[in-house]
Amino acid sequence: MSAPSSSCDLVVIGSGLGGLSCAGLAALHGLDVVVLEAHDRAGGAAHGFERRGFQFESGPSLWSGLGRWPSSNPLAQVLRALGETVPVATYPDWGLLLPEGSLRIGVGPEPFIATVRELRGLAAAEEWSAFMTWLQPFSQAALALPLLALRPGLGMAAVLGVRRSARLARLAPQLAALGGAFGPMARRHLRDPFLLHWVDLLCFLISGLPMDQTSAAAMATLFADWFDPGACLEYPLGGSPAVVAALVRGLERHGGALHTSCPVAEIILEGGAARGVRLGDGQLIRARRGVVSNASPWDTLALLPPGSGHSRWRQQRAATPACASFLHLHMGLRGEGLQDLPVHHVWVGDWERGIGAERNMLVLSMPSLLDPSLAPQGQQVLHGYTPANEPWELWQNLEPGTEAYEQLKRERCAIFRQVLGGIIPDLEERVVIELHGTPRSHQRFLRVHQGSYGPALGADQGVFPSGSTPIEGLSLCGAGVFPGIGVPPVAVSGAMAAHGFVAIPQHRALLESLDLLRP
């Protein structure tokens, strides 16, 4: 790959889904964009890798709204704007291993209500139905605001236009209620313990935070999607790397460039404004318009020259709480007799410990059931992780490769086999390859502070940050604003960062081309 150009309009640091969404849209709008990725491959937390014929992924496991149009999924909207699509396989249900027992629940309103009726009785089923009915106007309000219309500053009304803005004004009470956390809304209408635990589970899966900190708008959108009568889950064929590849194709089609193995050492400030970066090898890349950082807030601060001002903002960002990290399992299995398993399982050990308690939740995925190309013939690939519940403090003083590190890894990752043994009793005889990842793995490969997947910014603390900074020409997106767990908000943050460098008429024209401004 050729060396990066010495100048461009916009430098994007990091090629996670947020950074690539930003870069692709900025290139679409005519900016000369260079994306710089420290790793040897694009994707950030959504990258993939191969071992012995098994295609493993480190990225998202649960997808929806990616393979159909129109779609409320902002990532699907970004891909369509870039002229890209990602083929998906659909499936109707997922497995749940809960304290109440082993369940297989279909996506959509009726399958879940039937499960609740069987598990908790008619009163609980009616309680859930009433909650869904009450929530529907809020879900419709959330869908009425096209998230790709968001931009820094006060220009969103001009992007939306008079008619769409008037419609949103009529929905102001519902939109105002969606500005906080979802927990109070759920507690106001739900009393059954299982239903409250279920909401907490869904919140943690999409945000890495419990329901009292998860965005009400995000959950209202999720319920509008997942509990629609025609709802289904999706898996992008080729996994997360296929989504990354589509974003890279879109970027390059519109004149942008991606450079891997190019770690940024410093953001260059001139006259107090971000005007480029210095790479680890010393090369300077000038940016006429500015710099967007897809790195975490703590890692972005480390790239700024010391003594460059804005001390209060720096202190606030440095004090941003971090999501806990992950344990990962990548396993290749002999696949005979596994075809009838659910593609996904979510395991919860004990509701009373709290949904975010360490090693209290696992997500397990066997995507080769949908996409056989991910594994050698007759075999299956399995991906498991503990979603944002592994404490960094256990690992921070251990050096990878030492006996103490390997011992802790064996102890902490034993939870995967404990749970899998209940799903695949002859697991031991099936294992072809087994790999484990720890917070130190994430710190190393993603070059991220404490192995975290991003800031733990609760919706109960106020409006989410926009990605704007007090430094002229410097914006944040992806892990700089949201935890990497939630794909839709990460894509929105990338689009928002891009539109901060684009005139309002261009921004509006994009939404019109996607038919997102229909009254």
Side-chain angles (χ1 to χ4, degrees):
M1 180 180 293
S2 61
S5 170
S6 61
S7 67
C8 60
D9 291 325
L10 188 67
V11 166
V12 177
I13 303 171
S15 65
L17 297 179
L20 290 175
S21 295
C22 171
L25 290 178
L28 173 68
H29 287 301
L31 274 66
D32 180 9
V33 182
V34 170
V35 181
L36 301 170
E37 170 58 51
H39 202 351
D40 63 4
R41 66 202 67 190
H47 76 273
F49 60 96
E50 183 272 339
R51 294 289 187 277
R52 293 168 58 179
F54 293 94
Q55 303 295 328
F56 295 117
E57 57 182 326
S58 297
S61 292
L62 291 165
W63 299 85
S64 64
L66 199 60
R68 64 179 184 271
W69 190 261
S71 173
S72 61
N73 186 326
L75 181 57
Q77 295 170 2
V78 170
L79 287 167
R80 189 171 182 88
L82 297 178
E84 287 293 334
T85 59
V86 179
V88 302
T90 61
Y91 56 105
D93 57 18
W94 53 333
L96 294 166
L97 305 172
L98 305 178
E100 289 81 0
S102 178
L103 306 171
R104 189 162 183 165
I105 296 182
V107 180
E110 293 306 320
F112 182 70
I113 289 174
T115 298
V116 172
R117 186 182 299 114
E118 180 179 348
L119 193 66
R120 301 293 296 173
L122 180 60
E126 291 177 344
E127 183 178 296
W128 182 259
S129 295
F131 178 55
M132 288 292 98
T133 299
W134 174 83
L135 188 62
Q136 187 172 8
F138 296 92
S139 295
Q140 294 305 312
L143 295 176
L145 173 61
L147 295 177
L148 258 61
L150 297 175
R151 61 184 287 122
L154 302 175
M156 187 175 72
V159 172
L160 291 171
V162 174
R163 296 175 68 184
R164 177 54 73 96
S165 295
R167 180 186 176 192
L168 292 176
R170 293 192 294 272
L171 297 172
Q174 290 86 358
L175 291 171
L178 294 176
F182 192 66
M185 299 176 75
R187 295 182 196 282
R188 198 175 306 137
H189 294 272
L190 298 176
R191 296 291 181 270
D192 184 85
F194 173 76
L195 297 179
L196 288 169
H197 290 321
W198 172 251
V199 171
D200 218 15
L201 168 68
L202 292 179
C203 286
F204 204 84
L205 282 173
I206 73 162
S207 74
L209 297 169
M211 65 178 177
D212 287 324
Q213 294 179 280
T214 296
S215 162
M219 291 305 295
T221 303
L222 173 82
F223 282 120
D225 188 15
W226 277 26
F227 289 89
D228 182 84
C232 63
L233 290 167
E234 298 173 343
Y235 183 76
L237 298 180
S240 301
V243 178
V244 172
L247 289 169
V248 172
R249 288 195 305 269
L251 165 70
E252 294 176 342
R253 176 183 298 111
H254 295 286
L258 165 70
H259 296 274
T260 56
S261 301
C262 285
V264 171
E266 183 181 5
I267 296 172
I268 303 299
L269 301 184
E270 295 178 352
R275 289 294 177 256
V277 298
R278 179 174 59 82
L279 301 184
D281 63 4
Q283 180 185 352
L284 294 179
I285 301 177
R286 299 286 180 181
R288 291 179 287 273
R289 300 291 300 278
V291 175
V292 176
S293 178
N294 188 192
S296 78
W298 315 279
D299 296 293
T300 299
L301 289 176
L303 298 177
L304 293 170
S308 53
H310 307 291
S311 58
R312 183 177 179 183
W313 172 77
R314 286 172 177 259
Q315 291 169 1
Q316 290 173 338
R317 298 303 286 167
T320 301
C323 280
S325 191
F326 286 49
L327 296 172
H328 268 283
L329 169 72
H330 295 101
M331 188 177 276
L333 302 172
R334 295 181 178 87
E336 304 86 356
L338 301 180
Q339 291 79 6
D340 293 332
L341 288 176
V343 175
H344 290 288
H345 282 91
V346 175
W347 170 85
V348 177
D350 183 355
W351 293 124
E352 299 308 315
R353 290 184 61 208
I355 199 64
E358 58 185 75
R359 295 191 305 168
N360 196 35
M361 187 199 299
L362 300 182
V363 179
L364 301 167
S365 171
M366 196 176 290
S368 50
L369 292 171
L370 297 170
D371 184 358
S373 70
L374 299 176
Q377 186 173 2
Q379 300 183 347
Q380 302 288 353
V381 63
L382 188 144
H383 175 211
Y385 59 95
T386 61
N389 62 28
E390 181 65 10
W392 165 254
E393 292 74 17
L394 295 175
W395 301 88
Q396 61 182 343
N397 296 320
L398 296 180
E399 192 65 29
T402 63
E403 178 54 36
Y405 174 83
E406 295 299 327
Q407 176 64 28
L408 184 62
K409 183 163 70 170
R410 286 190 294 270
E411 292 173 1
R412 301 295 290 180
C413 292
I415 187 68
F416 291 115
R417 282 188 171 238
Q418 292 171 20
V419 174
L420 280 169
I423 303 171
I424 308 172
D426 59 346
L427 177 69
E428 188 63 41
E429 289 74 36
R430 292 179 177 272
V431 175
V432 177
I433 183 173
E434 182 174 0
L435 305 170
H436 295 148
T438 74
R440 294 302 299 266
S441 309
H442 299 300
Q443 182 194 44
R444 174 188 174 193
F445 288 106
L446 301 182
R447 298 170 68 96
V448 66
H449 170 80
Q450 296 185 355
S452 171
Y453 270 36
L457 296 169
D460 58 325
Q461 300 300 310
V463 179
F464 282 115
S466 67
S468 299
T469 77
I471 299 174
E472 180 186 343
L474 176 63
S475 295
L476 311 177
C477 73
V481 184
F482 288 99
I485 299 166
V487 169
V490 164
V492 170
S493 73
M496 192 171 180
H499 289 139
F501 296 92
V502 172
I504 287 175
Q506 287 178 276
H507 188 175
R508 179 175 171 81
L510 171 66
L511 269 64
E512 289 175 335
S513 72
L514 297 173
D515 200 23
L516 295 179
L517 294 180
R518 184 182 302 173

